Amino acid sequence: MPVDVDYLRSTMVDLLLTPSPSGRTDAVMQLVGDRISALGVPFDLTRRGLLRARLGTGSTVRRAVVVHADTIGCMVKRLKENGRLEVVPVGSHSARFAEGAHVTVMTDDPDCVYTGTVLPLLSAGHAFGDDIDTQGVGWHQVEVRIDEPVSDLAGLTALGIQVGDFVALDADPRITPGGFVKSRHLDDKAGLAACLTALKALADAGVQPRVGAQLLVTIGEEVGFGATHGLDPDISELVAVDNAVVAAGQASSEHTVNVGMMDMTGPFDYHLSRRLLALAAEHDVPAHRDVYRHYRSDAAPALEAGIEARAALIGAGVDSGHGHERTHFDGLVALTRLLVLYLQTDLVFAEWDRRAAGPLEEFPSDAVQPAPREPAREDAIGGA
């Protein structure tokens, strides 16, 4: 089933150019909804704005693919006497990578939007000399310079800027001739674009998933509560789509789909993870497996909220996540292909996983996940 790379590219760029820091995501969800409507896929939105697209003809939804549309960003903490803004992070990211970022300050008045730049407190080399190199790194060490003729607190107030206004880090997406994508917020707008492209592939081919499924697009993953609600109560499989960590000591690649075997919240489901890896191997989709230490995805809040489902994690590799991010179309296409393949399969255990519970004698895992018995010591209590 072919992947429409032009659609993948245009969708990703449109998403990247639409600011959506956690807490201010309505505009990007409108964009996502418009894209899904054009594919003829039914969907609705929850009260807070999560989007739930319905796939398949079955009356019961058994499977979910979860991806987030929110990004890291900033919020105005204080209007400073020098006419600049003190900001705090929205989501977990370092001020080290915010320094020099172009930003968009969004006030409560939609007609009052301002551009600016995140700068260290000491940013003029001709004024501060070597002190620039010795100042610390942190959010208390940076400020936002507004591109307006203001030099004091009164000037900022006159612009209508207030404490609590959102400050979006401009994505500034760039695609190289060799297929690399450089941009902020590839986490997780690259993954979201892949999910929408997978829906398009199925729609173009007229293929209905074998199992009733939903695409859940969340809006609070970067602050920890993405998939806490919105999932169908009968979900038995959940695949989170998020960035895969490309860095020294990691096995993930920008050129493959990557299957997370564990993150900081614990191992992912043994059977579902290996089903995804087997699908990739069977259909020649390049894939790596990896373990992530300082990382969590939409799978974590869903499980913490009590969903009783197998959970797995897949993603395209993103280098310098939450920093100067980069990925490659090879990995995005591989991710899209694996999603298309997965949505055409049955559940891992077709009969068992359709039930909430069952007797021990029907529990399937002993046959496919054996654990070798540890040899007993001769002096063990109770004998061998």
Side-chain angles (χ1 to χ4, degrees):
M1 195 175 296
V3 170
D4 189 337
V5 178
D6 289 337
Y7 179 88
L8 174 62
R9 179 185 295 106
S10 64
T11 299
M12 180 172 57
V13 171
D14 283 348
L15 291 169
L16 290 168
L17 293 176
T18 304
S20 59
S22 298
R24 184 142 179 174
T25 54
D26 290 357
V28 78
M29 298 308 285
Q30 182 68 52
L31 173 60
V32 174
D34 288 344
R35 290 277 177 163
I36 295 177
S37 291
L39 297 175
V41 177
F43 68 92
D44 64 4
L45 289 96
T46 68
R47 182 181 294 110
R48 295 211 314 263
L50 277 70
L51 185 148
R52 303 180 294 192
R54 178 69 180 269
L55 310 174
T57 58
S59 59
T60 303
V61 175
R62 300 285 186 183
R63 169 177 285 161
V65 173
V66 186
V67 63
H68 68 93
D70 63 304
T71 70
I72 57 174
C74 299
M75 180 175 282
V76 175
K77 170 69 168 61
R78 180 168 65 97
L79 280 61
K80 301 179 68 173
E81 290 73 12
N82 64 356
R84 300 189 176 190
L85 303 175
E86 179 183 344
V87 294
V88 293
V90 173
S92 176
H93 58 116
S94 172
R96 180 188 301 275
F97 298 107
E99 293 180 1
H102 297 295
V103 299
T104 300
V105 180
M106 299 177 286
T107 72
D108 291 351
D109 182 348
D111 294 325
C112 293
V113 176
Y114 303 101
T115 62
T117 307
V118 180
L119 296 173
L121 299 182
L122 306 180
S123 62
H126 293 102
F128 303 109
D130 292 341
D131 289 344
I132 287 178
D133 296 323
T134 58
Q135 67 181 313
V137 175
W139 290 100
H140 64 291
Q141 297 281 359
V142 298
E143 60 189 4
V144 173
R145 179 186 66 195
I146 300 295
D147 298 328
E148 297 292 333
V150 294
S151 58
D152 54 23
L153 191 152
L156 291 172
T157 302
L159 292 175
I161 298 174
Q162 303 179 75
V163 170
D165 285 342
F166 283 89
V167 179
L169 304 174
D170 293 354
D172 190 24
R174 304 185 186 197
I175 300 174
T176 73
F180 282 105
V181 185
K182 302 191 298 182
S183 178
R184 294 183 188 270
H185 313 314
L186 294 173
D187 175 9
D188 191 26
K189 291 183 175 179
L192 178 52
C195 289
L196 296 176
T197 305
L199 293 193
K200 184 177 187 297
L202 292 169
D204 289 349
V207 173
Q208 290 284 355
R210 291 181 62 184
V211 175
Q214 67 176 162
L215 173 66
L216 181 68
V217 184
T218 69
I219 56 173
E221 192 276 341
E222 293 294 359
V223 291
F225 60 83
T228 52
H229 78 286
L231 291 164
D232 191 275
D234 294 317
I235 292 293
S236 57
E237 290 182 3
L238 183 153
V239 173
V241 176
D242 213 328
N243 68 299
V245 182
V246 175
Q250 297 295 147
S252 296
S253 168
E254 295 169 88
H255 299 276
T256 70
V257 64
N258 304 278
V259 179
M261 310 306 287
M262 185 173 78
D263 67 6
M264 63 189 294
T265 62
F268 291 99
D269 185 78
Y270 180 96
H271 305 290
L272 182 54
S273 298
R274 284 155 181 81
R275 161 65 67 83
L276 292 164
L277 288 164
L279 279 172
E282 180 182 354
H283 295 275
D284 297 320
V285 178
H288 287 170
R289 45 199 281 176
D290 207 350
V291 170
Y292 308 124
R293 293 173 294 178
H294 308 288
Y295 182 104
R296 56 183 272 147
S297 69
D298 270 310
L303 295 172
E304 291 164 356
I307 192 75
E308 212 290 304
R310 303 185 187 278
L313 170 70
I314 60 175
V318 173
D319 187 82
S320 186
H322 284 196
H324 302 298
E325 295 180 343
R326 189 186 74 174
T327 191
H328 196 279
F329 274 103
D330 288 349
L332 295 174
V333 170
L335 170 59
T336 305
R337 290 179 60 202
L338 184 55
L339 285 167
V340 171
L341 291 165
Y342 170 64
L343 288 170
Q344 295 178 81
T345 64
D346 207 335
L347 300 176
V348 171
F349 298 111
E351 297 302 324
W352 177 266
D353 286 344
R354 280 176 166 79
R355 298 176 292 177
L360 177 62
E361 58 267 23
E362 296 179 16
F363 187 55
S365 294
D366 190 53
V368 293
Q369 189 188 2
R373 181 178 172 85
E374 179 180 341
R377 291 165 43 116
E378 292 184 3
D379 60 349
I381 296 176

Short mmCIF file of all heavy atoms in Angstrom, two decimals, residues 220-276:
data_model
loop_
_atom_site.label_atom_id
_atom_site.label_comp_id
_atom_site.label_asym_id
_atom_site.label_seq_id
_atom_site.Cartn_x
_atom_site.Cartn_y
_atom_site.Cartn_z
N GLY A 220 -2.17 17.15 25.81
CA GLY A 220 -1.46 17.47 27.04
C GLY A 220 -0.32 16.53 27.34
O GLY A 220 0.13 16.45 28.48
N GLU A 221 0.20 15.86 26.31
CA GLU A 221 1.26 14.87 26.55
C GLU A 221 2.51 15.52 27.13
O GLU A 221 3.17 14.96 28.00
CB GLU A 221 1.58 14.14 25.25
CG GLU A 221 2.46 12.90 25.43
CD GLU A 221 3.95 13.22 25.49
OE1 GLU A 221 4.35 14.32 25.05
OE2 GLU A 221 4.73 12.36 25.96
N GLU A 222 2.85 16.70 26.64
CA GLU A 222 4.09 17.33 27.08
C GLU A 222 4.06 17.76 28.55
O GLU A 222 5.11 18.01 29.15
CB GLU A 222 4.42 18.55 26.21
CG GLU A 222 4.75 18.21 24.76
CD GLU A 222 6.04 17.42 24.59
OE1 GLU A 222 6.70 17.13 25.61
OE2 GLU A 222 6.38 17.09 23.45
N VAL A 223 2.89 17.83 29.13
CA VAL A 223 2.78 18.16 30.55
C VAL A 223 2.27 16.98 31.37
O VAL A 223 1.90 17.14 32.54
CB VAL A 223 1.91 19.42 30.77
CG1 VAL A 223 2.62 20.64 30.25
CG2 VAL A 223 0.54 19.28 30.12
N GLY A 224 2.20 15.79 30.74
CA GLY A 224 2.00 14.58 31.51
C GLY A 224 0.62 13.99 31.56
O GLY A 224 0.44 12.92 32.15
N PHE A 225 -0.39 14.63 30.94
CA PHE A 225 -1.74 14.06 31.07
C PHE A 225 -2.42 13.86 29.72
O PHE A 225 -3.63 13.99 29.59
CB PHE A 225 -2.62 14.95 31.98
CG PHE A 225 -2.80 16.37 31.50
CD1 PHE A 225 -3.77 16.69 30.57
CD2 PHE A 225 -2.03 17.40 32.01
CE1 PHE A 225 -3.95 18.00 30.14
CE2 PHE A 225 -2.20 18.71 31.60
CZ PHE A 225 -3.16 19.00 30.65
N GLY A 226 -1.66 13.46 28.71
CA GLY A 226 -2.22 13.33 27.37
C GLY A 226 -3.40 12.40 27.26
O GLY A 226 -4.54 12.82 27.09
N ALA A 227 -3.17 11.10 27.37
CA ALA A 227 -4.22 10.11 27.12
C ALA A 227 -4.90 9.67 28.40
O ALA A 227 -5.22 8.49 28.58
CB ALA A 227 -3.63 8.91 26.38
N THR A 228 -5.18 10.59 29.30
CA THR A 228 -5.89 10.24 30.53
C THR A 228 -7.37 10.00 30.28
O THR A 228 -8.04 9.41 31.12
CB THR A 228 -5.74 11.36 31.56
OG1 THR A 228 -6.12 12.61 30.97
CG2 THR A 228 -4.31 11.45 32.07
N HIS A 229 -7.89 10.49 29.16
CA HIS A 229 -9.31 10.25 28.85
C HIS A 229 -9.45 10.20 27.33
O HIS A 229 -8.50 10.44 26.59
CB HIS A 229 -10.20 11.35 29.44
CG HIS A 229 -10.19 12.64 28.66
ND1 HIS A 229 -9.13 13.51 28.68
CD2 HIS A 229 -11.13 13.19 27.84
CE1 HIS A 229 -9.41 14.56 27.92
NE2 HIS A 229 -10.60 14.39 27.39
N GLY A 230 -10.64 9.84 26.87
CA GLY A 230 -10.92 9.79 25.45
C GLY A 230 -10.83 8.42 24.83
O GLY A 230 -11.28 8.22 23.70
N LEU A 231 -10.25 7.45 25.54
CA LEU A 231 -10.12 6.11 25.00
C LEU A 231 -11.40 5.31 25.21
O LEU A 231 -12.04 5.41 26.26
CB LEU A 231 -8.95 5.37 25.67
CG LEU A 231 -7.56 5.89 25.32
CD1 LEU A 231 -6.53 5.37 26.32
CD2 LEU A 231 -7.18 5.47 23.90
N ASP A 232 -11.75 4.52 24.21
CA ASP A 232 -12.92 3.66 24.32
C ASP A 232 -12.71 2.65 25.46
O ASP A 232 -11.59 2.14 25.63
CB ASP A 232 -13.15 2.92 23.01
CG ASP A 232 -14.49 2.22 22.97
OD1 ASP A 232 -14.57 1.07 23.49
OD2 ASP A 232 -15.45 2.82 22.46
N PRO A 233 -13.74 2.35 26.25
CA PRO A 233 -13.55 1.45 27.40
C PRO A 233 -13.19 0.02 27.02
O PRO A 233 -12.68 -0.73 27.86
CB PRO A 233 -14.90 1.51 28.11
CG PRO A 233 -15.88 1.98 27.09
CD PRO A 233 -15.11 2.90 26.20
N ASP A 234 -13.43 -0.36 25.77
CA ASP A 234 -13.14 -1.73 25.35
C ASP A 234 -11.78 -1.88 24.67
O ASP A 234 -11.49 -2.93 24.09
CB ASP A 234 -14.24 -2.23 24.41
CG ASP A 234 -15.58 -2.37 25.12
OD1 ASP A 234 -15.58 -2.88 26.26
OD2 ASP A 234 -16.60 -1.95 24.55
N ILE A 235 -10.96 -0.84 24.73
CA ILE A 235 -9.63 -0.91 24.11
C ILE A 235 -8.82 -2.02 24.76
O ILE A 235 -8.71 -2.11 25.98
CB ILE A 235 -8.89 0.43 24.28
CG1 ILE A 235 -9.56 1.53 23.45
CG2 ILE A 235 -7.42 0.29 23.92
CD1 ILE A 235 -9.45 1.34 21.97
N SER A 236 -8.24 -2.89 23.93
CA SER A 236 -7.36 -3.94 24.46
C SER A 236 -5.93 -3.79 23.97
O SER A 236 -5.03 -4.45 24.50
CB SER A 236 -7.90 -5.32 24.08
OG SER A 236 -8.04 -5.46 22.69
N GLU A 237 -5.70 -2.94 22.95
CA GLU A 237 -4.36 -2.64 22.47
C GLU A 237 -4.21 -1.15 22.28
O GLU A 237 -5.10 -0.49 21.71
CB GLU A 237 -4.06 -3.34 21.14
CG GLU A 237 -3.91 -4.85 21.24
CD GLU A 237 -3.56 -5.46 19.89
OE1 GLU A 237 -3.38 -4.72 18.89
OE2 GLU A 237 -3.48 -6.70 19.84
N LEU A 238 -3.09 -0.62 22.73
CA LEU A 238 -2.80 0.81 22.58
C LEU A 238 -1.37 0.96 22.06
O LEU A 238 -0.43 0.45 22.67
CB LEU A 238 -2.96 1.53 23.92
CG LEU A 238 -2.77 3.05 23.95
CD1 LEU A 238 -3.56 3.66 25.10
CD2 LEU A 238 -1.29 3.44 24.11
N VAL A 239 -1.24 1.63 20.93
CA VAL A 239 0.08 1.93 20.38
C VAL A 239 0.28 3.43 20.42
O VAL A 239 -0.45 4.19 19.76
CB VAL A 239 0.23 1.40 18.93
CG1 VAL A 239 1.55 1.88 18.33
CG2 VAL A 239 0.17 -0.12 18.92
N ALA A 240 1.23 3.88 21.23
CA ALA A 240 1.58 5.30 21.27
C ALA A 240 2.58 5.59 20.17
O ALA A 240 3.53 4.84 19.95
CB ALA A 240 2.16 5.66 22.63
N VAL A 241 2.35 6.70 19.46
CA VAL A 241 3.26 7.16 18.42
C VAL A 241 3.92 8.44 18.92
O VAL A 241 3.24 9.43 19.18
CB VAL A 241 2.52 7.41 17.10
CG1 VAL A 241 3.48 7.98 16.05
CG2 VAL A 241 1.87 6.13 16.59
N ASP A 242 5.23 8.39 19.08
CA ASP A 242 5.95 9.55 19.60
C ASP A 242 7.36 9.52 19.04
O ASP A 242 7.74 8.59 18.32
CB ASP A 242 5.96 9.52 21.13
CG ASP A 242 5.94 10.90 21.75
OD1 ASP A 242 6.50 11.83 21.12
OD2 ASP A 242 5.38 11.08 22.84
N ASN A 243 8.15 10.53 19.38
CA ASN A 243 9.51 10.55 18.84
C ASN A 243 10.37 9.47 19.49
O ASN A 243 10.23 9.18 20.68
CB ASN A 243 10.15 11.92 19.04
CG ASN A 243 10.41 12.24 20.50
OD1 ASN A 243 9.48 12.29 21.30
ND2 ASN A 243 11.66 12.45 20.86
N ALA A 244 11.26 8.90 18.70
CA ALA A 244 12.24 7.95 19.21
C ALA A 244 13.55 8.69 19.44
O ALA A 244 13.94 9.54 18.64
CB ALA A 244 12.43 6.79 18.24
N VAL A 245 14.24 8.36 20.51
CA VAL A 245 15.39 9.13 20.96
C VAL A 245 16.65 8.74 20.17
O VAL A 245 17.14 7.61 20.27
CB VAL A 245 15.64 8.91 22.46
CG1 VAL A 245 16.82 9.74 22.94
CG2 VAL A 245 14.38 9.24 23.26
N VAL A 246 17.15 9.69 19.39
CA VAL A 246 18.40 9.50 18.67
C VAL A 246 19.48 10.29 19.40
O VAL A 246 19.42 11.52 19.47
CB VAL A 246 18.29 9.96 17.20
CG1 VAL A 246 19.64 9.87 16.49
CG2 VAL A 246 17.24 9.14 16.47
N ALA A 247 20.44 9.59 19.99
CA ALA A 247 21.49 10.23 20.77
C ALA A 247 22.58 9.19 21.02
O ALA A 247 22.39 7.99 20.77
CB ALA A 247 20.95 10.78 22.10
N ALA A 248 23.71 9.64 21.52
CA ALA A 248 24.78 8.72 21.87
C ALA A 248 24.28 7.72 22.90
O ALA A 248 23.62 8.09 23.88
CB ALA A 248 25.98 9.50 22.44
N GLY A 249 24.56 6.44 22.67
CA GLY A 249 24.12 5.39 23.58
C GLY A 249 22.74 4.85 23.29
O GLY A 249 22.27 3.95 23.98
N GLN A 250 22.06 5.40 22.29
CA GLN A 250 20.73 4.91 21.91
C GLN A 250 20.80 4.15 20.60
O GLN A 250 21.67 4.40 19.77
CB GLN A 250 19.76 6.09 21.75
CG GLN A 250 19.51 6.89 23.02
CD GLN A 250 18.79 6.10 24.10
OE1 GLN A 250 19.03 6.33 25.28
NE2 GLN A 250 17.94 5.17 23.72
N ALA A 251 19.88 3.22 20.40
CA ALA A 251 19.86 2.39 19.20
C ALA A 251 18.92 2.94 18.12
O ALA A 251 18.93 2.45 16.99
CB ALA A 251 19.44 0.96 19.55
N SER A 252 18.11 3.94 18.46
CA SER A 252 17.15 4.47 17.50
C SER A 252 17.85 5.20 16.36
O SER A 252 18.95 5.72 16.52
CB SER A 252 16.17 5.42 18.20
OG SER A 252 15.40 4.73 19.16
N SER A 253 17.17 5.26 15.22
CA SER A 253 17.73 5.87 14.01
C SER A 253 16.71 6.79 13.37
O SER A 253 15.50 6.53 13.42
CB SER A 253 18.14 4.78 13.02
OG SER A 253 18.42 5.32 11.74
N GLU A 254 17.21 7.85 12.74
CA GLU A 254 16.33 8.74 11.97
C GLU A 254 15.81 8.07 10.70
O GLU A 254 14.86 8.57 10.09
CB GLU A 254 17.10 10.01 11.58
CG GLU A 254 17.52 10.88 12.75
CD GLU A 254 18.49 11.96 12.32
OE1 GLU A 254 18.04 13.05 11.92
OE2 GLU A 254 19.71 11.70 12.38
N HIS A 255 16.41 6.97 10.29
CA HIS A 255 16.10 6.36 9.01
C HIS A 255 15.21 5.12 9.14
O HIS A 255 14.95 4.45 8.13
CB HIS A 255 17.40 5.99 8.29
CG HIS A 255 18.27 7.17 8.00
ND1 HIS A 255 18.11 7.97 6.90
CD2 HIS A 255 19.29 7.72 8.71
CE1 HIS A 255 19.00 8.95 6.91
NE2 HIS A 255 19.73 8.82 8.01
N THR A 256 14.76 4.80 10.33
CA THR A 256 13.92 3.62 10.54
C THR A 256 12.73 3.97 11.43
O THR A 256 12.70 5.04 12.05
CB THR A 256 14.71 2.50 11.24
OG1 THR A 256 14.97 2.88 12.60
CG2 THR A 256 16.03 2.23 10.53
N VAL A 257 11.78 3.06 11.49
CA VAL A 257 10.82 3.11 12.59
C VAL A 257 11.51 2.47 13.80
O VAL A 257 12.38 1.60 13.64
CB VAL A 257 9.53 2.36 12.23
CG1 VAL A 257 9.76 0.88 12.02
CG2 VAL A 257 8.45 2.58 13.30
N ASN A 258 11.16 2.93 14.98
CA ASN A 258 11.81 2.45 16.19
C ASN A 258 10.75 1.99 17.18
O ASN A 258 9.74 2.67 17.38
CB ASN A 258 12.65 3.57 16.80
CG ASN A 258 13.66 4.12 15.81
OD1 ASN A 258 14.73 3.57 15.61
ND2 ASN A 258 13.30 5.23 15.14
N VAL A 259 10.98 0.83 17.77
CA VAL A 259 10.04 0.25 18.73
C VAL A 259 10.65 0.36 20.12
O VAL A 259 11.72 -0.21 20.38
CB VAL A 259 9.73 -1.22 18.39
CG1 VAL A 259 8.76 -1.81 19.41
CG2 VAL A 259 9.16 -1.32 16.97
N GLY A 260 10.00 1.11 20.99
CA GLY A 260 10.49 1.24 22.35
C GLY A 260 10.14 0.01 23.16
O GLY A 260 8.97 -0.39 23.23
N MET A 261 11.13 -0.60 23.78
CA MET A 261 10.89 -1.78 24.60
C MET A 261 10.62 -1.40 26.06
O MET A 261 9.96 -2.13 26.79
CB MET A 261 12.10 -2.72 24.53
CG MET A 261 12.56 -3.03 23.11
SD MET A 261 11.25 -3.66 22.03
CE MET A 261 11.05 -5.30 22.67
N MET A 262 11.15 -0.24 26.47
CA MET A 262 10.93 0.25 27.83
C MET A 262 11.24 1.74 27.88
O MET A 262 12.08 2.22 27.12
CB MET A 262 11.82 -0.51 28.84
CG MET A 262 11.54 -0.13 30.30
SD MET A 262 12.44 -1.17 31.51
CE MET A 262 14.07 -0.42 31.42
N ASP A 263 10.52 2.47 28.75
CA ASP A 263 10.90 3.84 29.04
C ASP A 263 10.94 4.01 30.55
O ASP A 263 10.97 3.03 31.30
CB ASP A 263 9.96 4.84 28.35
CG ASP A 263 8.53 4.82 28.89
OD1 ASP A 263 8.26 4.11 29.88
OD2 ASP A 263 7.68 5.53 28.33
N MET A 264 10.95 5.24 31.04
CA MET A 264 11.12 5.48 32.47
C MET A 264 9.97 4.95 33.31
O MET A 264 10.10 4.81 34.53
CB MET A 264 11.32 6.98 32.75
CG MET A 264 10.14 7.84 32.37
SD MET A 264 10.51 9.62 32.47
CE MET A 264 10.75 9.83 34.23
N THR A 265 8.84 4.62 32.68
CA THR A 265 7.70 4.08 33.42
C THR A 265 7.68 2.56 33.46
O THR A 265 6.85 1.98 34.15
CB THR A 265 6.37 4.60 32.83
OG1 THR A 265 6.25 4.14 31.47
CG2 THR A 265 6.33 6.11 32.83
N GLY A 266 8.57 1.92 32.70
CA GLY A 266 8.63 0.46 32.73
C GLY A 266 8.55 -0.16 31.36
O GLY A 266 8.42 0.53 30.34
N PRO A 267 8.63 -1.49 31.29
CA PRO A 267 8.57 -2.19 30.00
C PRO A 267 7.20 -2.05 29.34
O PRO A 267 6.16 -1.99 30.01
CB PRO A 267 8.83 -3.65 30.37
CG PRO A 267 9.45 -3.61 31.73
CD PRO A 267 8.86 -2.42 32.41
N PHE A 268 7.24 -2.04 28.00
CA PHE A 268 5.99 -2.09 27.24
C PHE A 268 5.58 -3.56 27.07
O PHE A 268 6.34 -4.47 27.39
CB PHE A 268 6.18 -1.41 25.88
CG PHE A 268 6.34 0.08 26.00
CD1 PHE A 268 7.59 0.66 25.97
CD2 PHE A 268 5.24 0.90 26.19
CE1 PHE A 268 7.75 2.03 26.10
CE2 PHE A 268 5.38 2.27 26.33
CZ PHE A 268 6.64 2.84 26.29
N ASP A 269 4.35 -3.75 26.59
CA ASP A 269 3.82 -5.11 26.50
C ASP A 269 4.69 -6.00 25.62
O ASP A 269 5.00 -5.65 24.47
CB ASP A 269 2.39 -5.07 25.95
CG ASP A 269 1.75 -6.44 25.95
OD1 ASP A 269 1.32 -6.89 27.02
OD2 ASP A 269 1.71 -7.07 24.86
N TYR A 270 5.07 -7.12 26.17
CA TYR A 270 5.96 -8.07 25.50
C TYR A 270 5.39 -8.49 24.15
O TYR A 270 6.07 -8.45 23.12
CB TYR A 270 6.16 -9.28 26.41
CG TYR A 270 7.06 -10.36 25.86
CD1 TYR A 270 8.40 -10.41 26.22
CD2 TYR A 270 6.56 -11.34 25.01
CE1 TYR A 270 9.23 -11.41 25.72
CE2 TYR A 270 7.38 -12.33 24.51
CZ TYR A 270 8.71 -12.36 24.87
OH TYR A 270 9.53 -13.35 24.38
N HIS A 271 4.13 -8.91 24.14
CA HIS A 271 3.54 -9.50 22.94
C HIS A 271 3.26 -8.46 21.87
O HIS A 271 3.54 -8.69 20.68
CB HIS A 271 2.26 -10.24 23.31
CG HIS A 271 2.46 -11.26 24.39
ND1 HIS A 271 3.16 -12.42 24.19
CD2 HIS A 271 2.06 -11.27 25.69
CE1 HIS A 271 3.18 -13.12 25.31
NE2 HIS A 271 2.53 -12.43 26.24
N LEU A 272 2.70 -7.32 22.24
CA LEU A 272 2.37 -6.29 21.25
C LEU A 272 3.64 -5.71 20.64
O LEU A 272 3.70 -5.47 19.42
CB LEU A 272 1.53 -5.20 21.90
CG LEU A 272 1.05 -4.07 20.99
CD1 LEU A 272 0.30 -4.62 19.77
CD2 LEU A 272 0.17 -3.10 21.76
N SER A 273 4.65 -5.47 21.45
CA SER A 273 5.91 -4.93 20.91
C SER A 273 6.51 -5.89 19.89
O SER A 273 6.98 -5.46 18.81
CB SER A 273 6.91 -4.69 22.04
OG SER A 273 6.43 -3.73 22.96
N ARG A 274 6.49 -7.18 20.19
CA ARG A 274 7.08 -8.15 19.28
C ARG A 274 6.19 -8.41 18.07
O ARG A 274 6.69 -8.79 17.00
CB ARG A 274 7.42 -9.43 20.04
CG ARG A 274 8.70 -9.21 20.87
CD ARG A 274 8.83 -10.10 22.07
NE ARG A 274 10.06 -9.79 22.80
CZ ARG A 274 10.18 -8.77 23.66
NH1 ARG A 274 9.14 -7.99 23.90
NH2 ARG A 274 11.33 -8.55 24.27
N ARG A 275 4.90 -8.22 18.19
CA ARG A 275 4.02 -8.26 17.02
C ARG A 275 4.42 -7.16 16.03
O ARG A 275 4.52 -7.38 14.82
CB ARG A 275 2.57 -8.10 17.44
CG ARG A 275 1.59 -7.67 16.33
CD ARG A 275 1.43 -8.70 15.23
NE ARG A 275 0.78 -9.89 15.68
CZ ARG A 275 -0.54 -10.03 15.78
NH1 ARG A 275 -1.34 -9.02 15.45
NH2 ARG A 275 -1.05 -11.16 16.18
N LEU A 276 4.66 -5.96 16.54
CA LEU A 276 5.05 -4.84 15.68
C LEU A 276 6.40 -5.10 15.02
O LEU A 276 6.58 -4.84 13.82
CB LEU A 276 5.09 -3.55 16.49
CG LEU A 276 3.73 -3.06 17.00
CD1 LEU A 276 3.91 -2.01 18.10
CD2 LEU A 276 2.91 -2.48 15.84
#
